[in-house]
């Protein structure tokens, strides 16, 4: 990307989009176009088409999405599928219609099969069935990825995709029911500490294995790929390291300073038993993550506390 190029970041208020904006500015890109949801509803096809016709961005980072944890995905699969698929198709199609030089689509590791080989290589996409608790979201993300691939094949566009593992960090969503596991734990343990609670209840049995990537590391990879990668196959974004949810809860509790008991509600779903990405492709391209999990959790908790001080913790 040229330093003066016009870059549109869709979803700039979200955790990923805001991190991409920070990284772009850190690297000297300042001609960045953004729109809030009230200014531009990405599910409105005519509005999106008009935006691209008037603004003519040269590069697009598509980080906008309706996201949530197991509970949210299970409760509203139709909403997750329609909103994500609609906004993706609108943005990608309008980018193609208006001659965008390059687009990067942000997906999720949940696109891979529930029982995929571990660690999961990019090539295992669509080789077997998905995890049922977030199937609707995964199908929408697969559709966006594939539409980019088909445009590349049919019209010689340069549209790429990146599939992050579980993310956390600044500007996360801390809703107690609708957030992802790590921010939900940060809030739960913080509130338990503040209330002097003797115990905290966590979902499932703690056995699933998960990988976590600090969101600013993902943003660094996103800009790196925009400048250094072209191809139809997606690129996994992760650390290549995993730990059990039980280990994670202990780490978060220690970081927050909660010293009570951790209890497990086995009536709640565990989700996919294991989700570790094969990150050898990104490594071969010349990129690796920077932030180790204990350091990242500490930074995330500091960000959470700063939001509490300002009274603007996201409770989506």
């Amino acid at each position: 990307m040229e330093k003066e190029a016009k870059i549109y970041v869709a979803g700039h208020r979200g955790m990923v989009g805001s991190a991409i904006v920070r990284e772009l500015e850190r690297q000297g890109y300042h001609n960045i176009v953004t729109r809030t949801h009230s200014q531009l509803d990405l599910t409105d096809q005519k509005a999106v088409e008009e935006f691209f016709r008037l603004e003519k961005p040269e590069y697009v980072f598509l980080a906008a999405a309706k996201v949530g944890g197991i509970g949210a995905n299970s409760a509203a699969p139709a909403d997750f599928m329609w909103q994500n698929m609609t906004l993706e198709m609108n943005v990608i199609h309008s980018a193609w219609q208006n001659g965008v030089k390059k687009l990067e689509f942000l997906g999720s590791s949940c696109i891979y099969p529930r029982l995929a080989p571990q660690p999961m290589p990019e090539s295992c996409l669509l080789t077997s069935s998905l995890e049922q608790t977030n199937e609707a979201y995964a199908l929408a993300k697969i559709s966006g990825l594939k539409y980019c691939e088909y445009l590349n094949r049919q019209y010689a566009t340069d549209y790429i995709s990146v599939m992050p593992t579980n993310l956390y960090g600044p500007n996360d969503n801390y809703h107690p029911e609708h957030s992802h596991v790590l921010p939900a734990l940060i809030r739960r343990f913080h509130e338990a500490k503040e209330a002097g609670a003797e115990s905290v209840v966590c979902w499932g049995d703690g056995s699933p294995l998960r990988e976590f990537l600090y969101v600013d590391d993902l943003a660094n990879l996103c800009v790196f790929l925009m400048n250094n990668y072209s191809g139809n196959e997606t690129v996994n974004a992760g650390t290549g390291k995993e730990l059990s949810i039980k280990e994670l809860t202990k780490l978060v509790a220690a970081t927050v300073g909660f010293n009570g008991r951790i209890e497990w509600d086995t009536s709640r779903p565990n989700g996919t038993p294991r989700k570790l990405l094969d990150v050898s492709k990104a490594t071969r391209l010349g990129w690796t993550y920077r932030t180790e999990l204990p350091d990242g959790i500490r930074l995330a908790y500091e960000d959470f506390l700063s939001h509490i001080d300002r009274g603007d913790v996201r409770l989506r």
Side-chain angles (χ1 to χ4, degrees):
M1 294 182 293
E2 308 81 16
K3 293 297 182 181
E4 67 279 3
K6 181 179 278 191
I7 303 168
Y8 171 45
V9 180
H12 76 285
R13 280 187 164 179
M15 178 172 61
V16 174
S18 61
I20 290 173
V21 170
R22 287 195 301 274
E23 182 66 19
L24 286 168
E25 291 176 341
R26 188 186 70 81
Q27 293 193 29
Y29 298 96
H30 297 292
N31 191 5
I32 302 169
V33 179
T34 60
R35 291 291 187 276
T36 64
H37 177 73
S38 62
Q39 293 171 325
L40 177 61
D41 180 356
L42 296 180
T43 64
D44 183 334
Q45 183 178 357
K46 290 183 178 179
V48 174
E49 290 174 349
E50 182 72 358
F51 165 78
F52 273 86
R53 186 182 68 81
L54 294 175
E55 286 292 338
K56 295 291 185 183
E58 298 169 83
Y59 298 89
V60 173
F61 289 88
L62 179 43
K66 177 179 175 62
V67 298
I70 292 175
N73 276 275
S74 299
D79 295 347
F80 273 85
M81 187 171 207
W82 182 84
Q83 289 190 36
N84 284 297
M85 193 170 290
T86 302
L87 72 85
E88 291 165 8
M89 293 300 159
N90 286 343
V91 172
I92 298 169
H93 187 68
S94 290
W96 168 66
Q97 285 184 315
N98 289 274
V100 165
K101 290 181 180 179
K102 193 165 188 175
L103 177 144
E104 184 176 290
F105 173 68
L106 275 292
S108 166
S109 60
C110 71
I111 66 167
Y112 295 124
R114 181 176 188 274
L115 299 177
Q118 300 290 327
M120 298 182 286
E122 291 87 352
S123 59
C124 75
L125 180 65
L126 295 175
T127 55
S128 61
S129 60
L130 299 165
E131 162 63 33
Q132 290 296 304
T133 55
N134 57 15
E135 182 183 66
Y137 180 73
L139 287 170
K141 286 298 184 181
I142 292 170
S143 296
L145 181 159
K146 283 295 182 181
Y147 187 43
C148 289
E149 177 186 331
Y150 298 150
L151 286 170
N152 288 346
R153 291 181 176 181
Q154 188 171 346
Y155 295 107
T157 51
D158 188 6
Y159 293 175
I160 63 175
S161 63
V162 55
M163 295 297 129
T165 188
N166 299 286
L167 300 171
Y168 70 103
N171 204 25
D172 210 336
N173 172 27
Y174 296 97
H175 192 285
E177 294 290 333
H178 300 153
S179 59
H180 290 101
V181 59
L182 205 159
L185 289 173
I186 287 175
R187 176 174 179 170
R188 196 171 304 169
F189 284 121
H190 172 80
E191 292 181 343
K193 182 185 73 170
E194 293 296 297
E198 295 182 356
S199 65
V200 165
V201 177
C202 298
W203 282 23
D205 61 14
S207 65
L209 297 170
R210 290 292 182 269
E211 173 187 24
F212 296 91
L213 178 67
Y214 191 63
V215 71
D216 285 57
D217 289 354
L218 170 66
N220 179 259
L221 173 61
C222 288
V223 177
F224 174 85
L225 292 175
M226 191 67 100
N227 285 317
N228 295 282
Y229 177 72
S230 294
N232 287 329
E233 189 177 66
T234 190
V235 179
N236 286 339
T239 65
K241 298 179 179 179
E242 62 186 345
L243 78 168
S244 71
I245 295 299
K246 187 168 289 187
E247 292 171 313
L248 177 69
T249 59
K250 293 177 181 177
L251 184 55
V252 174
T255 302
V256 171
F258 174 75
N259 298 313
R261 298 190 313 278
I262 299 172
E263 300 176 351
W264 296 93
D265 180 359
T266 55
S267 69
R268 297 284 195 167
N270 273 328
T272 306
R274 191 183 183 200
K275 278 189 4 175
L276 178 65
L277 291 180
D278 180 342
V279 295
S280 58
K281 184 174 181 178
T283 302
R284 288 195 304 271
L285 290 169
W287 182 89
T288 188
Y289 78 100
R290 302 170 179 174
T291 309
E292 297 293 348
L293 187 57
D295 296 328
I297 293 175
R298 176 181 52 79
L299 292 169
Y301 185 48
E302 290 173 359
D303 179 72
F304 173 79
L305 292 176
S306 71
H307 281 276
I308 288 181
D309 291 340
R310 296 195 301 268
D312 62 353
V313 173
R314 290 174 63 198
L315 299 178
R316 199 168 57 238

